């Protein structure tokens, strides 16, 4: 009888363990990796500041990371390099979703246009005003005004704002405190045009990025050549522009952002008049994806604004990758995106939000722009600088 009871007990234990693993196994395996990291940080802290462990609550690994990083900068640098450089900077792994994203963006624009048309029906306007509206609707010049109007009231809806204007990478998170339409639209982006020296800096973390028909070794047909044309157009708008052509990804793409950072910082110190920093890139997508739109009768590469949040889903805010200008960066890209939606529908993809900072911490008005991809022609990429320069002028002169 005892043996039977013992056997039944063993079977019951196996059943309980099996049920536990079935329901909780995935979470257990995932947490093991996090626990290993915490054990490492705890080990360092236990040697040097054991008192911290006794007062530190569970589930807040950021404190361990911050203290450990302050004592061992190499740990912070290594984590930054592994994530911020190798995994994050290529920005290409998520781009297979571009086709679906473009289709969704078109649907959103269609819905917005329908909403505008419905509002017009409800308005009481004179026949002369109706005629004027009709005449305006067929104009296509860049300077003829908005082609559509985004409903500002709808922007107050966080879900609408996030889904319409943003693509949030699964490595990071963002909430209503940062994606708030009033907060994003409040900052005045107007630059001081009377300063002595350049107001805008354009540079390329990835200067070697080329297009479908770029000539090997000819920078004038690469993303650098696109930067040349943007510089020319912005100067025609009255800005003074410094186009920096330093190469930071030659033979070592994995450290391009770290390589570029000292130069950007030095340029800003040498030219305190600079108020806007633009890092111009070319994206990488699946070979059967063509990011193209037509504006004013020209085929143009679609552009995408990009923001780093210095925050990961796993670790939370990253203290040693601090960016004091995140809110200003977000406001800049959103005001550009909103202007693009109204003046050049279908020109831009949704703003991409990712976890780290991508050298956007040197200046409040910092912007990373992806101009098309390797499947675009150089001419398509160059053409898209015309509306981009116009949008920058509208936002930076507060004329939008």
């Amino acid at each position: 009888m005892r043996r039977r009871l013992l056997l039944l007990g063993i079977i019951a234990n196996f059943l309980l363990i099996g049920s536990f693993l079935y329901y909780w196994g995935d979470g257990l395996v995932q947490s093991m990796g996090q626990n290993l990291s915490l054990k490492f940080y705890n080990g360092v802290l236990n040697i040097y500041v054991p008192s911290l462990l006794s007062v530190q609550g569970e589930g807040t690994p950021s404190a361990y990371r911050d203290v450990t990083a302050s004592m061992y900068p190499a740990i912070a640098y290594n984590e930054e390099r592994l994530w911020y450089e190798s995994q994050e900077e290529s920005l290409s792994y998520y781009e297979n979703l571009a086709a679906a994203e473009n289709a969704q963006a078109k649907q959103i624009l269609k819905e917005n246009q329908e909403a505008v048309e419905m509002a017009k029906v409800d308005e009481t306007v004179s026949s002369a005003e109706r005629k004027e509206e009709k005449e305006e609707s067929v104009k296509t010049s860049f300077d003829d005004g908005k082609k559509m109007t985004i409903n500002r009231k709808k922007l107050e809806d966080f879900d609408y704002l996030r889904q319409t204007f943003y693509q949030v990478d699964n490595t990071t998170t963002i909430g209503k405190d940062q994606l708030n339409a009033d907060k994003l639209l409040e900052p005045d982006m107007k630059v001081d045009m009377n300063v002595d020296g350049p107001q805008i800096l354009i540079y390329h973390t990835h200067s070697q990025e080329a297009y479908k028909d770029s000539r090997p070794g000819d920078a004038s047909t690469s993303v650098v050549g696109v930067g040349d044309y943007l510089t020319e157009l912005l100067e025609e708008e009255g800005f003074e522009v410094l186009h920096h052509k330093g190469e930071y990804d030659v033979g070592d793409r994995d450290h391009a952002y770290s390589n570029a950072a000292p130069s950007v910082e030095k340029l800003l110190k040498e030219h305190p008049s600079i108020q806007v920093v633009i890092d111009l890139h070319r994206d990488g997508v699946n070979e059967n994806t063509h990011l193209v739109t037509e504006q004013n009768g020209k085929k143009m590469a679609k552009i995408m604004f990009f923001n780093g949040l210095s925050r990961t889903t796993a670790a939370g805010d990253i203290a040693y990758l601090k960016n004091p200008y995140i809110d200003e960066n977000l406001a800049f890209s959103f005001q550009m995106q909103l202007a693009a939606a109204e003046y050049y529908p279908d020109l831009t993809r949704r703003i991409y939000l990712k976890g780290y900072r991508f050298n956007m911490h040197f200046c409040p008005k910092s912007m990373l722009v992806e101009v098309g991809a390797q499947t675009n022609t150089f001419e398509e990429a160059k053409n898209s600088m015309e509306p981009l320069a116009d949008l920058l002028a509208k936002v930076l002169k507060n004329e939008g």
Side-chain angles (χ1 to χ4, degrees):
M1 180 62 69
R2 289 181 179 177
R3 290 181 179 178
R4 289 181 181 178
L5 291 175
L6 180 60
L7 181 59
L8 287 174
I10 292 173
I11 292 173
N13 285 331
F14 272 116
L15 290 174
L16 288 172
I17 293 171
S19 299
F20 174 81
L21 292 176
Y22 178 79
Y23 287 105
W24 306 103
D26 289 343
L28 180 63
V29 171
Q30 183 177 3
S31 66
M32 285 175 65
Q34 297 175 352
N35 289 337
L36 288 175
S37 296
L38 287 177
K39 286 180 180 179
F40 171 75
Y41 291 117
N42 285 344
V44 174
L45 294 174
N46 193 42
I47 294 173
Y48 292 96
V49 281
S51 59
L52 180 64
L53 295 180
S54 63
V55 298
Q56 178 63 47
E58 292 183 2
T60 54
S62 59
Y64 300 144
R65 293 172 179 270
D66 295 347
V67 176
T68 308
S70 67
M71 294 188 297
Y72 290 96
I75 294 174
Y77 170 78
N78 192 50
E79 182 163 343
E80 175 181 357
R81 182 179 63 81
L82 290 176
W83 283 88
Y84 170 54
E85 301 286 353
S86 302
Q87 183 174 340
E88 307 299 328
E89 82 172 8
S90 70
L91 310 181
S92 62
Y93 73 92
Y94 61 85
E95 290 305 330
N96 291 334
L97 300 175
E101 175 188 319
N102 293 339
Q104 183 177 357
K106 289 180 180 179
Q107 179 62 27
I108 290 168
L109 291 171
K110 180 181 177 182
E111 291 174 358
N112 284 334
Q113 186 62 46
E114 290 174 353
V116 171
E117 293 302 323
M118 288 298 294
K120 288 181 180 178
V121 171
D122 295 333
E123 294 176 353
T124 303
V125 294
S126 67
S127 58
E129 289 173 328
R130 289 182 184 277
K131 182 178 180 181
E132 183 179 347
E133 285 180 3
K134 185 175 181 180
E135 291 174 349
E136 286 295 321
S137 68
V138 299
K139 294 182 180 181
T140 57
S141 171
F142 286 155
D143 297 321
D144 283 340
K146 296 179 180 179
K147 293 182 174 64
M148 66 178 298
T149 302
I150 299 296
N151 188 327
R152 296 302 193 272
K153 190 68 177 176
K154 290 183 71 174
L155 295 178
E156 297 175 7
D157 183 337
F158 170 74
D159 291 329
Y160 171 81
L161 179 65
R162 184 185 182 281
Q163 294 170 14
T164 305
F165 292 94
Y166 293 93
Q167 179 75 32
V168 183
D169 190 85
N170 60 11
T171 61
T172 194
T173 57
I174 194 165
K176 296 180 181 180
D177 58 327
Q178 287 182 303
L179 286 194
N180 177 294
D182 291 337
K183 185 176 181 179
L184 293 168
L185 292 172
E186 181 181 6
D188 185 353
M189 294 294 154
K190 190 172 184 178
V191 303
D192 184 357
M193 303 286 284
N194 298 316
V195 295
D196 184 16
Q199 300 101 23
I200 300 175
L201 167 66
I202 298 174
Y203 77 104
H204 312 274
T205 300
H206 296 149
S207 63
Q208 304 306 297
E209 290 175 330
Y211 292 93
K212 182 178 179 180
D213 56 352
S214 295
R215 295 185 293 272
D218 185 355
S220 68
T221 63
S222 71
V223 70
V224 176
V226 174
D228 283 333
Y229 191 45
L230 178 59
T231 298
E232 178 184 331
L233 293 170
L234 288 173
E235 288 176 343
E236 290 176 2
E237 293 282 357
F239 296 101
E240 186 172 341
V241 182
L242 172 60
H243 184 196
H244 176 64
K245 301 182 183 181
E247 298 179 345
Y248 304 106
D249 58 337
V250 178
D252 186 17
R253 182 182 172 90
D254 287 345
H255 298 85
Y257 282 96
S258 293
N259 294 338
S263 295
V264 174
E265 194 168 16
K266 181 181 178 183
L267 287 168
L268 292 175
K269 288 180 179 178
E270 292 176 347
H271 303 278
S273 57
I274 292 174
Q275 302 159 61
V276 180
V277 176
I278 300 173
D279 186 5
L280 208 61
H281 288 248
R282 181 232 70 194
D283 213 345
V285 299
N286 190 290
E287 288 299 324
N288 59 10
T289 298
H290 190 197
L291 302 173
V292 68
T293 183
E294 186 169 315
Q295 304 285 336
N296 201 35
K298 292 183 180 181
K299 286 188 176 181
M300 301 182 179
K302 289 193 175 187
I303 62 179
M304 180 177 75
F305 303 122
F306 182 96
N307 286 101
L309 300 178
S310 294
R311 175 193 305 120
T312 64
T313 303
D317 292 337
I318 307 171
Y320 52 84
L321 288 181
K322 192 178 290 279
N323 179 357
Y325 304 124
I326 287 179
D327 288 342
E328 290 88 344
N329 294 167
L330 287 168
F332 188 19
S333 63
F334 178 72
Q335 291 186 28
M336 287 289 293
Q337 184 80 356
L338 186 61
E342 295 186 324
Y343 288 95
Y344 305 100
D346 199 39
L347 172 68
T348 60
R349 299 148 69 195
R350 286 180 291 171
I351 301 169
Y352 206 91
L353 303 179
K354 211 165 178 68
Y356 290 75
R357 66 182 178 187
F358 303 93
N359 286 343
M360 300 180 75
H361 59 296
F362 295 119
C363 179
K365 297 185 188 72
S366 289
M367 175 171 288
L368 193 158
V369 187
E370 299 277 0
V371 183
Q374 84 281 3
T375 53
N376 288 102
T377 65
F378 174 71
E379 189 68 20
E380 289 169 347
K382 183 179 176 182
N383 286 344
S384 66
M385 294 302 95
E386 295 171 11
L388 180 60
D390 182 48
L391 291 168
L392 283 165
K394 282 176 166 54
V395 172
L396 297 177
K397 293 179 182 179
N398 199 12
E399 297 176 348

